[in-house]
Amino acid sequence: GQNIDQPTEMTATEGAIVQINCTYQTSGFNGLFWYQQHAGEAPTFLSYNVLDGLEEKGRFSSFLSRSKGYSYLLLKELQMKDSASYLCASVDSNYQLIWGAGTKLIIKP
Amino acid sequence: DTGVSQDPRHKITKRGQNVTFRCDPISEHNRLYWYRQTLGQGPEFLTYFQNEAQLEKSRLLSDRFSAERPKGSFSTLEIQRTEQGDSAMYLCASSLQGEWDEQFFGPGTRLTVL
């Protein structure tokens, strides 16, 4: 079967660093997306990884290990506006996105 | 505005009624997706089109749901004989087929079935 696992909720402090993990099992693999979704809004693209390693983009970085079926999203210098759900989605052999349930990130002052 | 648009943004209906939603993708995007999302869950795939062809439909989708994309541009999603369990946010996304296609989401249509 196809499965994406990520923590339901995480809490972090403004200015700190947080790592959100995602493990995936899909039929075939053609990359992994991270999306951010604020409450009541549509998801917006953050990153895409298809090769092993770390991709850095400003305060956000995303890591992929294909052999372990594992990815993480690293958020640095957290700001209150980063409070949102972070969705991990794996691209399967049919190029369809298989979505996790999302990790709700709560930022405290 | 050149993003994905959806209409209506909100729909309240009584159980048993039919509803239709519209999605206008980004103009040059040839792929269009419909998802359903409930609170605390990720988007659940419903169906997708490449140009006007409906290439895949979720097995979870009952025959009360139908989607069209007649000219390969806008798409409609119809739900017949709505049930309370159909209450959800219906998201449309579009992408340009390529090496990796980032999906751009519309604002969604929130459906409430009373």
Side-chain angles (χ1 to χ4, degrees):
Chain A
Q2 308 206 93
N3 196 46
I4 307 287
D5 282 319
Q6 52 181 131
T8 303
E9 187 175 295
M10 298 182 71
T11 302
T13 305
E14 191 177 15
I17 298 173
V18 71
Q19 178 175 311
I20 303 174
N21 296 325
C22 169
T23 57
Y24 62 88
Q25 286 180 303
T26 53
S27 56
F29 180 77
N30 286 295
L32 189 133
F33 284 92
W34 283 97
Y35 277 77
Q36 180 190 59
Q37 186 174 29
H38 285 99
E41 298 182 10
T44 55
F45 170 82
L46 288 178
S47 68
Y48 172 76
N49 294 68
V50 67
L51 300 176
D52 286 354
L54 187 68
E55 296 272 347
E56 297 186 74
K57 193 186 295 185
R59 295 189 298 115
F60 291 11
S61 303
S62 56
F63 172 84
L64 177 68
S65 168
R66 295 177 65 135
S67 62
K68 295 181 180 177
Y70 166 70
S71 173
Y72 67 72
L73 181 69
L74 190 72
L75 293 78
K76 302 176 186 175
E77 300 167 19
L78 287 170
Q79 302 174 9
M80 297 304 292
K81 68 178 183 179
D82 297 330
S83 292
S85 284
Y86 291 85
L87 297 161
C88 170
S90 174
V91 186
D92 71 7
S93 56
N94 294 320
Y95 292 90
Q96 294 304 306
L97 264 62
I98 310 301
W99 294 84
T103 299
K104 183 178 179 181
L105 178 63
I106 299 167
I107 310 295
K108 295 186 174 178
Chain B
D1 185 13
T2 57
V4 179
S5 61
Q6 292 186 244
D7 183 69
R9 294 291 304 275
H10 302 272
K11 179 70 178 179
I12 300 173
T13 191
K14 292 183 178 179
R15 191 173 50 186
Q17 297 295 305
N18 299 344
V19 294
T20 300
F21 309 142
R22 177 179 170 126
C23 171
D24 287 87
I26 293 172
S27 58
E28 63 267 26
H29 285 185
N30 58 342
R31 287 184 170 172
L32 187 148
Y33 303 80
W34 284 101
Y35 294 93
R36 176 171 61 191
Q37 187 176 27
T38 54
L39 197 63
Q41 298 298 313
E44 176 191 14
F45 171 78
L46 295 178
T47 188
Y48 104 95
F49 293 84
Q50 184 157 305
N51 301 310
E52 65 276 6
Q54 187 174 18
L55 295 189
E56 193 165 337
K57 187 174 174 180
S58 169
R59 279 169 286 181
L60 301 174
L61 209 61
S62 79
D63 56 7
R64 296 185 297 107
F65 287 70
S66 61
E68 294 182 344
R69 194 184 183 196
K71 296 181 181 179
S73 56
F74 75 91
S75 175
T76 57
L77 176 70
E78 182 183 17
I79 309 174
Q80 295 181 325
R81 306 180 302 282
T82 52
E83 302 172 356
Q84 287 186 325
D86 297 332
S87 295
M89 176 74 86
Y90 289 83
L91 293 167
C92 174
S94 71
S95 69
L96 184 62
Q97 181 184 2
E99 198 171 294
W100 62 277
D101 46 1
E102 173 192 342
Q103 294 185 17
F104 293 81
F105 283 82
T109 294
R110 182 168 294 284
L111 173 66
T112 302
V113 181
L114 303 175

